[in-house]
Amino acid sequence: MAPIHGVKTVTANVGWSVLAKTATFGLKFVTVPILARLLSPSEFGSVAVALTIVQFLTMIGGAGLTSALIVEPGEDSETVHSVFWVNLAMALLMSAGIYVWAAPLAALLGAPDSAGLLRVMAFLIPIQLSGDLAYCLLAKRMNFSKDAMWSTVSETLAAVAAVALAYLGFGVWALVVQLFAAALIRLFGLHLSSGYLPRPVVKPRKLRPLFAFSSGVMGSEIANFVTFQSPMIVIARLLGLADAGAYSVANRFASIPNQVVLSAVMGVLFPAFSLMGDDRKRRSDALMLSTQVTTVLLAPAMFGLWAVAEPAMLVIFGRDWAWAWPVLGLLALSKAIVTPCSTFIPYLKGTGHGRVLLWSAGLRAIATTAAIAAGSIWGGLPAALAGLCMVNAVTLVGYSWAVFRVDNIPFMQGLLTSSRSMLTALVMALCVRTLLALLEGRLANPYAELLVGAFAGGLIYAVLLFLTERALLRKLVELVRARNAAAIEEPA
């Protein structure tokens, strides 16, 4: 029987993951603006377009087998080794394919000059997939502290190297070195931490039980990838590399809060939900609590960034990027709208509802791509991102209906509970926008605007949160007290 991990174990692992992502957040908060000042929008666009292909094939190469391995009981060594070698074989084939067909692929994506970059970046695929198995073993053991440490170390050293190379005039290659350095350091760290050493064992019969789960997960991952990466490809083809670079830079920055909270929480929740088995009440309570907490944390950050996007773009990225402030604001708004959905994907994966996940992700991918293309054609980059906001509003309702139906949670009750703090954050952001409009001309510079907006937003949100989420705050206090009491009772 799989070990039962309670609130203490889950919260401890979430804490480690959030700590690592927070360190990465601080690093990117500093390095992304520095790189934006040293490199051009076209250089960012070239790397972003090439990376889209690499990331897509990296995801396909795994074929969902590592995810299936997480929910598989036990750690059968023959199965583990077989998954590793299948992943590596797929990675090498795809890497070779990119190298050979780099020119037509780059032209297809609207960036024919990126073919050379694409050939070099093809070698990222086997590096990244070679580390998937080691990460899977750490996740299966709920040992996220080691992954957190190596993620922080790899991102830190890679970012320092990128800034140094950009300053020395290496241009676009600074971003390429950053990607390779982070991947190689993390690969080494994951294998060292997990203690995994591959052996020449391949047993196809061991893989067959994994494919039933992995096929649904792979399909949904492809759809999610299309959702998040199709805007880059469509914008590059229809609007050019400069707009693609502006989108890339703004998206990197607007995604930082998501990377801090979501990637940390989702990585822990997937194995945690899978270990809860058929305990429906426990799963439902964990789903609603985790959804509320992530929304409380993320919604004010994203809506707040939308409210102060104009001064923030000027302060953080400089005057050369000031024209792109609507891009930053609309991207933050689009991410804010779907914050209540943050726990739905790991929930559906962990509870084995791959078909629901596949259909939900597929419909979202189609709608996102169509909206971005239509907006790009009819109104340029801001119109494309406005379309993305509308799609995400529909996504919120659709995903909520699908997940609450799976777990027999009343739809309106679940939607209100999960989205209440998002609506509170929206009210806060509207108040901040109104305040900055009233103070227009009275504040000396964009730095003052940003400080006033951040202070006012934090104060307003704290008051509204206390008025609307007292039950949640009491529950969190009770959990912390119970965890501390359990820690005191444990024998030394």
Side-chain angles (χ1 to χ4, degrees), residues 65-91:
L65 289 175
T66 50
S67 295
L69 203 57
I70 290 176
V71 300
E72 187 78 3
E75 285 186 22
D76 179 68
S77 61
E78 291 185 342
T79 304
V80 171
H81 294 314
S82 298
V83 169
F84 175 85
W85 291 113
V86 168
N87 276 4
L88 183 59
M90 290 290 293

Side-chain angles (χ1 to χ4, degrees), residues 292-310:
Q292 286 180 279
V293 171
T294 52
T295 305
V296 164
L297 293 173
L298 277 178
M302 304 316 302
F303 278 114
L305 183 56
W306 167 72
V308 298
E310 187 170 6

Side-chain angles (χ1 to χ4, degrees), residues 102-113:
L105 282 172
L108 181 66
L109 295 176
D113 293 338

Side-chain angles (χ1 to χ4, degrees), residues 126-144:
I127 296 173
Q128 292 177 342
L129 281 180
S130 295
D132 275 5
L133 198 283
Y135 170 78
C136 160
L137 294 176
L138 290 176
K140 194 175 181 68
R141 301 164 190 166
M142 294 294 284
N143 189 355
F144 287 88

Side-chain angles (χ1 to χ4, degrees), residues 365-443:
I366 294 169
T368 297
T369 305
I372 292 290
S376 298
I377 293 170
W378 292 328
L381 189 52
L385 298 180
L388 179 61
C389 291
M390 290 186 284
V391 169
N392 281 358
V394 176
T395 297
L396 171 62
V397 176
Y399 255 124
S400 299
W401 177 83
V403 170
F404 297 151
R405 185 166 179 255
V406 162
D407 222 31
N408 292 329
I409 297 173
F411 172 69
M412 290 306 300
Q413 175 188 330
L415 184 63
L416 177 62
T417 302
S418 61
S419 302
R420 186 167 51 231
S421 54
M422 182 195 72
L423 298 175
T424 300
L426 175 59
V427 172
M428 173 273 293
L430 292 172
C431 291
V432 171
R433 291 286 294 253
T434 303
L435 176 63
L436 292 180
L438 292 173
L439 294 176
E440 187 176 4
R442 300 182 186 181
L443 297 174

